């Protein structure tokens, strides 16, 4: 399409904009289409060159457009360029409870195998002034239809739930099996299971009937009983004996009337799939694959259409004329033209996008199934452009002892479309000439018995017909859904190509049915498909339908999980005894609950547990957002409380329920404590070393906004204000964003950049040593930091440090202990000179006045003063505190009794 803004300008401005167009980028759906269009528009004079993708070429040619000569640059994509997936971390199956997927965000991204195509488009558009889209003229091609994002979420949620649970319950059978759910594939499976169960439940019933025959010169006429059959043997026997008392037939009626066999309707996708399956024995998936190849080669029209009405503007005579050269059906095509031209029947369906499937060009060079399908499409087209077959049908009714019997005969007068369409059968059935009122002696009068028979298993054509009837999927997706239930081993095929449900398919359907949810029934999906059409027609609101559908599937999912044992029991009938799974052995992770919104990206922040113990608050936007709050090691447990802070913003900010290690908190504070980490709780803020800082990425002139937002320090060591300003960060006063520092080793502490003079410092205050893992295993070659003297247990992976120092990350400063409240077992003091200053009344854990020393070692902290225990090093209690750290008045002495040491 052309850029739109120029349309609002004056005519002169519009002409000027057109004159500036020298190069036009054209993009088709596939390379074959791009090449074909370029050949037609350039009269085969286009120039080919390579793009970044070896499968998608670039064709250039000159063309007259907008009243001037322009260069056309024709290239292509390969179907959909973008795909949909959950945002991290929801993509990983074990990252969350499947229930969380209903509310997880979806993002569009370019798959890795299409990145080269994307690069080609990005490069070529830079040199062009206009863009022409050559995709299919339908909802999919124009991408204006309603994308069923949340229904995909429902499918993903059920798929993960089923797969994660059933792999554990039946490990020997389903260890590597993907047990998918789809709102279309499951009802498709349901049709197969329903038919199979109907056959299983069928009980044959004996019936009885009277049969009359009359032989003549040309054969034998069978007269069928007008009652058809009776299920009572005695009643039938009585009537039969009455007939046998005087077995003479009287002709009571003879009716002869014209009979027509209708020519087929124009061909849509569903009929193509059904007829190819029935008549050619080619399955739906292969049929559509071949049809699309024929389309890209220019031999047939677009094969994905819901239309069975030829548009009036389509020149059917020219299409018929192309086929007159064929030795097999050429004469028939010529006869259509000679007898008044094409007169196709009209159906009732139109998608307003594509005409019915028809041949667009004659060819005789195809082989195999391509040739067979092309021939079928041509013959079907010629048949529907022809005339109905004509015949004369005669119905004769006779009476024997007041019991009526009927025979029918047929004389074909004109075969018409049947001459070119061998896929339909209609044959003569000769009967002699009977006169009304005449009497004759039947050759036989018999009482015969039989049994009712069960329905047959579904063929692919039967299944497609059911899917269309109940609104499951579209003409473009029927084959895909059928193929899915086959590849998932939910169904198999018998020798005569009928669908038979597998054990897994049977168990899944019966399991969900036993819960009270008929997930295999078409109602849920059919309702959605109907709503989608109403959205397209402007009769329903997209948002309302979206919310309604999500809530419906979400509620079903929640209750299905609660009754999951019924699924286990149903599958156990087919897969053997279910394995016992201990209650504590979770089949899938618990649903994460939001504590508050992330101040960086507004995603939910949830509590998580580290593998080696300990807790942290993590942003659900990870890894795009690395905001995190790490809690100190003396936090033994933390859970979300249902109470919500009235002060902290943005609402809601839930309070947390902490359980602390004995001796790690002030005596006035209980070991089990409920508080808010939003910044309003002074005691908890001091205990966890929460500090108010401005957002470092804020410009210096910005005005602080009300409300508290969690924010972390961006360097391991405090840098000068001049250094921070040089990096473009703000130098505002404290009081806005909340920072958390802890002695706990962080997951993602900020790295020491090579150019900022900062070094990673361990808990001893010394510069940490950078090492590389040599041991065989998944971490081989990975770098990490550890204490250079092994005096403390400091450890940090080097690659878990963020690269962007100006981003707002909720991370602790590595190795720093809470100011004033110190945890027992602190590290060694750093090398430095001592001072007689006792630290302003601060005492260490030994109850001794601290001494103040100065860092002498080269590095960013050189010259910085700190407080430490006055005793010799081998006798020190481990107390450490930076002299320039703020300590809440009155807490220093308390901290000396209860805390520990650490350094940054």
């Amino acid at each position: 399409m052309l850029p739109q803004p120029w349309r609002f300008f004056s005519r002169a401005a519009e002409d000027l904009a057109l004159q500036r167009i020298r190069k036009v980028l054209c993009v088709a759906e596939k390379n074959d289409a791009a090449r074909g269009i370029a050949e037609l528009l350039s009269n085969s004079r286009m120039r080919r060159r390579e793009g970044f993708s070896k499968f998608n070429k670039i064709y250039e040619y000159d063309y007259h457009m907008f009243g001037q000569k322009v260069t056309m640059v024709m290239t292509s994509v390969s179907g959909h360029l973008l795909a949909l997936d959950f945002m991290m971390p929801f993509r990983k199956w074990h990252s969350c409870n499947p229930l969380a997927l209903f509310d997880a965000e979806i993002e569009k991204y370019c798959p890795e195998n299409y990145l080269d195509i994307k690069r080609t488009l990005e490069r070529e558009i830079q040199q062009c002034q206009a863009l022409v889209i050559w995709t299919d003229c339908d909802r999919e091609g124009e991408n204006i239809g309603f994308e069923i994002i949340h229904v995909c979420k429902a499918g993903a949620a059920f798929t993960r739930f089923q797969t994660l649970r059933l792999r554990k319950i039946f490990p020997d059978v389903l260890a590597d099996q993907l047990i998918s759910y789809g709102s279309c594939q499951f009802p498709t499976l349901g049709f197969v299971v329903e038919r199979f169960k109907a056959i299983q439940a069928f009980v044959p019933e004996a019936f009885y009937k009277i049969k009359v025959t009359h032989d003549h010169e040309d054969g034998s006429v069978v007269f069928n009983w007008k009652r058809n059959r009776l299920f009572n043997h005695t009643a039938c026997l009585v009537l039969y004996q009455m007939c046998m008392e005087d077995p003479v037939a009287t002709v009571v009626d003879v009716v002869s009337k014209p009979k027509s066999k209708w020519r087929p309707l124009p061909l849509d996708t569903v009929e193509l799939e059904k007829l190819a399956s029935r008549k050619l024995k080619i399955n739906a998936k292969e049929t559509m694959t071949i049809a699309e190849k024929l389309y890209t080669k220019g031999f047939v029209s677009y094969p994905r259409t819901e239309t069975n009405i030829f548009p009036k503007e389509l020149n059917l005579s020219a299409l018929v004329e192309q086929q007159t050269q064929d030795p097999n059906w050429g004469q028939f095509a010529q006869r259509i033209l000679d007898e008044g031209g094409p007169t196709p029947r009209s159906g009732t369906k139109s998608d307003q996008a594509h005409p019915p499937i028809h041949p667009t060009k004659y060819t005789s060079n195809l082989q195999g199934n391509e040739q067979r399908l092309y021939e079928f499409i041509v013959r079907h087209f010629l048949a529907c452009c022809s005339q109905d077959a004509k015949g004369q049908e005669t119905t004769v009714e006779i009476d024997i002892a007041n019991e009526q019997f009927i025979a029918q005969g047929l004389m074909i007068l004109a075969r018409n479309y049947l001459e070119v369409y061998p896929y339909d059968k209609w044959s003569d059935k000769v009967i002699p000439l009977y006169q009304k009122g005449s009497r004759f002696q039947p050759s036989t009068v018999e009482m015969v018995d039989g049994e009712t028979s069960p329905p047959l298993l579904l063929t692919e054509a039967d299944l497609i017909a059911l899917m269309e009837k109940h609104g499951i999927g579209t003409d473009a997706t029927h084959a895909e859904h059928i193929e899915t239930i086959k590849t998932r081993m939910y169904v198999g095929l018998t020798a005569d190509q009928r669908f038979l449900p597998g054990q897994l398919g049977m168990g899944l359907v019966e399991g969900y049915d036993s819960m009270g949810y008929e997930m295999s029934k078409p109602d849920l999906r059919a309702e959605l498909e109907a709503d989608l059409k109403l959205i397209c027609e402007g009769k329903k609101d997209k948002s309302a339908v979206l919310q309604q559908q999500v809530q419906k599937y979400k509620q079903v999912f929640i209750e299905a999980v609660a009754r999951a044992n019924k699924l286990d029991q149903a599958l156990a009938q087919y897969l053997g005894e279910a394995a016992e799974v201990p209650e504590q052995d979770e089949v899938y992770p618990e649903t994460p609950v939001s504590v508050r919104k992330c101040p960086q990206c507004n995603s939910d922040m949830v509590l998580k547990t580290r593998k080696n113990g300990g807790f942290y608050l993590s942003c659900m936007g990870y890894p795009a957002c690395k905001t995190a709050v790490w809690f100190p090691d003396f936090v033994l447990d933390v859970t979300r409380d249902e109470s919500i802070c009235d002060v902290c913003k943005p609402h809601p900010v839930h309070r947390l329920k902490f359980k602390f290690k004995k001796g790690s908190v002030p005596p006035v504070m209980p070991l089990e404590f409920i508080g808010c980490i939003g910044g309003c709780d002074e005691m908890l803020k001091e205990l966890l070393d929460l500090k108010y800082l401005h957002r470092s990425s804020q410009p210096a002139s910005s005005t602080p906004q009300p409300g508290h937002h969690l924010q972390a320090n961006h360097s391991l060591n405090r840098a000068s204000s001049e250094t921070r300003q040089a990096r473009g960060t703000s130098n505002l006063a404290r009081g806005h964003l909340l920072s958390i520092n802890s002695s706990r080793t962080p997951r993602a502490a900020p790295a020491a950049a090579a150019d900022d003079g900062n070094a990673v410092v361990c808990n001893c205050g010394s510069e940490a040593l950078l090492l590389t893992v040599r041991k065989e295993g998944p971490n081989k070659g990975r770098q990490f930091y550890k204490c250079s003297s092994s005096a403390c247990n400091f450890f940090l992976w080097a690659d878990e440090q963020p690269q962007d120092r100006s981003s707002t990350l909720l991370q602790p400063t590595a190795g720093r202990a809470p100011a004033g409240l110190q945890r027992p077992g602190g590290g060694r003091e750093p090398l430095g000179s001592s001072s007689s200053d006792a630290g302003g009344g601060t005492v260490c854990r030994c109850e001794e006045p601290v001494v103040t020393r100065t860092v002498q070692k080269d590095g960013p902290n050189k010259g910085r003063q700190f407080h430490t225990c006055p005793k010799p090093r081998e006798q020190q209690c481990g107390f450490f505190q930076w002299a320039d750290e703020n300590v809440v008045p009155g807490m220093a002495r308390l901290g000396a009794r209860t805390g520990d040491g650490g350094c940054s």
Side-chain angles (χ1 to χ4, degrees):
M1 68 182 70
L2 292 173
Q4 294 299 308
W6 63 268
R7 294 184 182 276
F8 301 102
F9 298 160
S10 66
R11 182 66 185 177
E14 180 179 323
D15 292 340
L16 181 61
L18 291 175
Q19 290 171 12
R20 290 176 178 172
I21 297 176
R22 293 288 180 265
K23 213 169 189 180
V24 179
L25 178 62
C26 303
V27 185
E29 271 196 32
K30 295 179 181 177
N31 183 66
D32 289 344
R35 184 178 62 244
I37 294 168
E39 283 182 352
L40 286 171
L41 296 183
S42 69
N43 292 320
S44 301
R45 296 175 182 173
M46 76 279 194
R47 305 172 293 278
R48 194 186 88 170
R49 58 185 173 88
E50 298 298 317
F52 288 108
S53 168
K54 63 180 180 180
F55 304 108
N56 303 81
K57 311 299 181 183
I58 300 173
Y59 307 93
E60 287 192 357
Y61 54 94
D62 296 328
Y63 195 72
H64 194 76
M65 193 175 186
F66 309 125
Q68 60 193 341
K69 185 178 179 182
V70 299
T71 299
M72 304 289 275
V73 180
M74 172 67 72
T75 187
S76 65
V77 292
S78 296
H80 287 284
L81 181 62
L82 301 178
L84 293 170
D85 205 344
F86 293 105
M87 294 186 71
M88 293 296 286
F90 295 97
R91 291 185 191 177
K92 297 182 179 179
W93 275 44
H94 291 274
S95 64
C96 65
N97 187 302
L99 180 61
L101 299 179
F102 284 94
D103 301 308
E105 290 188 39
I106 295 285
E107 66 175 348
K108 273 190 175 183
Y109 71 100
C110 184
E112 188 174 344
N113 54 329
Y114 288 160
L115 286 176
D116 286 341
I117 299 176
K118 180 171 177 282
R119 289 176 61 203
T120 297
L121 297 179
E122 290 170 342
R123 181 187 68 184
E124 296 301 322
I125 195 63
Q126 299 296 324
Q127 309 299 323
C128 297
Q129 296 80 44
L131 175 66
V132 179
I133 304 296
W134 292 81
T135 56
D136 298 321
C137 182
D138 56 13
R139 285 181 295 176
E140 182 181 13
E142 297 178 10
N143 199 23
I144 61 172
F146 179 36
E147 296 185 1
I148 318 169
I149 294 175
H150 280 74
V151 173
C152 294
K153 289 184 179 183
F158 277 100
T159 296
R160 290 193 191 180
F161 159 63
Q162 293 173 171
T163 303
L164 294 174
R165 180 178 185 86
L166 297 178
R167 280 180 178 177
K168 286 204 170 190
I169 301 296
F170 303 100
D172 295 334
V173 183
L174 303 176
D176 301 316
Q177 178 77 28
L178 174 64
I179 309 164
S180 65
Y181 169 86
S183 58
C184 285
Q185 62 174 270
F186 225 63
T188 305
L189 168 63
F191 291 134
V192 176
V193 172
E194 185 177 31
R195 176 58 62 89
F196 176 76
K197 296 184 80 169
I199 295 171
Q200 278 190 318
F202 185 83
V203 178
E205 189 176 359
F207 64 79
Y208 310 91
K209 64 196 308 185
I210 301 173
K211 178 182 174 183
V212 176
T213 64
H214 182 215
D215 297 336
H216 60 95
E217 293 179 359
D218 297 324
S220 180
V221 178
V222 176
F223 287 86
N224 295 309
W225 195 14
K226 210 169 183 179
R227 295 180 189 269
N228 189 15
R229 62 191 181 188
L230 296 178
F231 291 95
N232 187 300
H233 178 270
T234 303
C236 187
L237 181 60
V238 169
L239 295 174
Y240 172 69
Q241 289 174 343
M242 291 172 61
C243 290
M244 292 304 295
E245 288 178 3
D246 185 18
V248 177
T250 301
V251 178
V252 296
D253 198 13
V254 177
V255 178
S256 184
K257 61 181 180 180
K259 179 77 171 179
S260 295
K261 187 171 180 64
W262 289 352
R263 62 197 184 278
L265 286 168
L267 194 61
D268 60 29
T269 302
V270 172
E271 282 303 307
L272 174 64
E273 292 173 333
K274 291 194 297 186
L275 290 171
S277 178
R278 285 176 180 153
K279 309 298 185 181
L280 306 180
K281 306 303 179 187
I282 303 175
N283 67 47
K285 183 181 180 183
E286 186 180 357
T287 295
M288 295 312 299
T289 301
I290 295 172
E292 286 174 355
K293 286 183 179 179
L294 295 174
Y295 164 65
T296 55
K297 291 178 180 178
F299 296 139
V300 302
S301 62
Y302 188 63
R304 298 187 183 276
T305 176
E306 299 175 22
T307 303
N308 60 4
I309 307 170
F310 279 116
K312 293 179 181 179
E313 60 271 17
L314 185 62
N315 189 343
L316 297 178
S317 295
L319 296 174
V320 172
E321 188 175 5
Q322 290 180 355
Q323 302 297 327
T324 57
Q325 56 190 297
D326 188 85
N328 297 310
W329 54 79
Q331 289 185 357
F332 186 88
Q334 186 61 52
R335 194 190 315 162
I336 291 175
L337 298 174
D338 295 342
E339 295 177 358
T343 56
R345 287 176 63 197
S346 289
T348 59
K349 299 185 298 181
S350 175
D351 58 16
Q352 303 298 320
H354 303 291
I357 304 167
H358 61 272
T360 54
K361 186 166 64 175
Y362 175 74
T363 180
S364 59
N365 298 322
L366 299 174
Q367 302 292 327
N369 282 345
E370 280 192 17
Q371 187 277 328
R372 293 177 66 216
L373 190 64
Y374 175 76
E375 178 178 342
F376 171 79
I377 292 172
V378 171
R379 288 184 179 274
H380 190 101
F381 170 70
L382 294 176
C384 75
C385 289
S386 179
Q387 300 292 325
D388 297 338
K390 304 293 184 181
Q392 193 75 13
E393 183 182 67
T394 302
T395 302
V396 178
E397 183 176 341
I398 63 174
D399 179 284
I400 302 175
N402 292 323
E403 291 299 311
Q404 280 73 44
F405 302 85
I406 293 175
Q408 290 180 320
L410 175 67
M411 180 180 294
I412 297 176
L413 304 177
R415 293 184 60 80
N416 292 335
Y417 89 90
L418 290 171
E419 294 182 22
V420 77
Y421 201 71
Y423 315 105
D424 278 357
K425 305 298 180 185
W426 205 40
S427 56
D428 290 326
K429 185 179 180 182
V430 180
I431 62 173
L433 185 62
Y434 290 97
Q435 298 292 331
K436 185 177 181 179
S438 63
R439 292 165 60 87
F440 64 89
Q441 184 76 37
S443 303
T444 61
V445 179
E446 301 175 290
M447 177 177 167
V448 296
D449 60 6
E451 271 189 350
T452 55
S453 57
L456 296 172
L457 292 170
L458 296 176
T459 63
E460 187 175 56
D462 298 332
L463 189 52
I464 292 171
L466 285 170
M467 294 171 73
E468 183 186 29
K469 177 182 176 182
H470 293 280
I472 302 302
T474 66
D475 60 304
T477 60
H478 289 153
E480 177 185 337
H481 299 317
I482 293 172
E483 191 65 22
T484 297
I485 63 172
K486 287 161 64 177
T487 55
R488 295 284 185 269
M489 306 296 289
Y490 294 165
V491 301
L493 289 172
T494 62
D496 59 346
Q497 299 300 295
R498 292 180 180 272
F499 285 97
L500 184 69
Q503 293 178 330
L504 181 56
M506 284 290 293
L508 287 172
V509 170
E510 290 179 354
Y512 282 115
D513 285 351
S514 68
M515 295 178 192
Y517 301 107
E518 296 186 322
M519 306 266 298
S520 61
K521 296 296 187 284
D523 305 340
L524 278 174
R525 180 65 195 196
E527 181 184 332
L528 173 59
E529 293 285 354
D531 282 346
L532 293 181
K533 288 185 178 180
L534 293 175
I535 291 171
C536 293
E537 295 168 5
K539 296 178 181 178
K540 271 204 172 185
D541 178 63
K542 171 182 173 180
S543 300
V545 171
L546 183 65
Q547 184 177 7
Q548 180 186 9
Q549 291 290 329
V550 170
Q551 291 306 315
K552 184 181 298 181
Y553 277 100
K554 186 175 182 179
Q555 189 58 39
V556 171
F557 179 83
I558 291 171
E559 298 188 24
V561 171
R563 304 178 188 178
N565 63 311
K566 291 187 177 291
L567 191 61
D568 306 341
Q569 294 166 5
L571 280 161
Q573 301 177 56
Y574 301 99
L575 304 181
E577 187 176 355
E580 291 290 335
V581 178
E583 289 185 12
Q584 67 271 19
D585 187 4
E586 292 183 357
V587 174
Y588 43 83
E590 293 182 359
T591 305
V593 289
S594 175
V595 172
R596 63 164 300 158
K597 291 294 183 182
C598 173
Q600 176 70 8
C601 67
N602 204 39
S603 298
D604 286 336
M605 296 195 73
V606 298
L607 286 168
K608 291 192 175 183
T609 306
R610 290 191 63 174
K611 292 181 180 179
N612 57 350
F615 303 91
Y616 64 101
L617 194 65
S618 174
C619 177
M620 297 299 286
Y622 180 84
C625 176
K626 294 183 173 63
T627 303
V629 178
W630 299 85
F631 295 116
D633 291 339
F634 58 77
V635 176
L636 301 179
D637 190 27
V638 59
T639 57
R640 190 188 81 158
D641 191 72
E642 290 306 313
S643 61
I644 296 173
C645 179
D646 297 328
V647 179
C648 295
K649 297 179 181 180
H651 288 302
V653 177
H654 281 265
R655 293 186 177 91
L656 296 179
K657 188 183 297 182
F658 289 93
K659 186 176 181 181
F660 298 116
K661 185 177 180 181
K662 189 175 181 180
S664 65
V665 297
V668 296
M669 189 172 187
L671 293 179
E672 293 189 9
F673 180 80
I674 296 176
C676 175
I677 64 164
C680 63
D681 193 317
E682 292 296 333
M683 183 173 289
L684 193 60
K685 182 172 67 173
E686 176 63 27
L687 180 67
L688 300 179
D689 197 22
L690 305 177
K691 299 183 183 303
Y692 284 98
L693 299 174
H694 282 287
R695 192 186 295 264
S696 66
S697 58
Q698 230 175 326
S701 60
S702 63
T703 304
Q705 299 297 321
H708 302 311
H709 298 276
L710 288 170
Q711 165 79 11
N713 284 338
H714 300 292
S715 61
L716 290 170
N717 303 298
R718 185 180 299 259
S720 67
S721 60
E722 291 80 10
T723 305
R724 289 197 299 271
Q725 288 172 336
R727 293 178 191 159
T729 58
S730 63
N731 189 26
L732 299 173
R734 304 185 184 195
H736 183 44
L737 296 182
L738 183 64
S739 168
I740 181 165
N741 302 320
S742 80
S743 58
R744 175 180 174 78
T745 303
R747 175 184 64 173
D755 61 345
D756 64 8
N758 285 349
V760 176
V761 180
C762 70
N763 294 334
C764 305
S766 302
E767 184 174 342
L769 190 63
L770 180 63
L771 300 174
T772 304
V773 178
R774 303 297 183 192
K775 186 177 180 181
E776 293 293 335
N779 288 320
K780 184 178 180 182
R782 194 176 179 188
Q783 291 186 313
F784 62 93
Y785 291 101
K786 70 180 293 289
C787 178
S788 58
S789 60
S790 300
C792 66
N793 60 355
F794 179 81
F795 179 87
L796 174 67
W797 287 114
D799 58 5
E800 289 189 351
Q801 305 172 80
Q803 301 298 319
D804 184 3
R805 306 295 292 272
S806 65
S807 62
T808 306
L809 302 179
L810 263 169
Q811 299 162 336
T813 303
R816 283 209 355 225
L821 290 173
Q822 308 293 338
R823 180 175 59 87
R828 295 166 53 191
E829 63 180 12
L831 295 175
S833 61
S834 63
S835 167
S836 59
D837 183 4
T842 303
V843 296
C844 69
R845 289 170 51 201
C846 307
E847 296 290 340
E848 297 288 336
V850 298
V851 294
T852 302
R853 294 179 178 171
T854 304
V855 178
Q856 301 297 320
K857 184 175 179 180
D858 288 334
N861 288 318
K862 184 175 181 179
R864 190 177 178 190
Q865 291 185 319
F866 60 93
H867 304 310
T868 187
C869 179
K871 293 182 180 181
R873 179 175 299 180
E874 60 272 12
Q875 299 176 16
Q876 285 181 347
C877 63
F879 178 86
F880 176 88
Q881 178 185 326
W882 289 113
D884 56 359
E885 287 282 353
N886 285 329
V887 180
V888 178
M891 292 297 289
R893 182 171 299 277
L894 181 62
R897 290 197 301 271
T898 60
D900 77 327
C903 64
S904 69

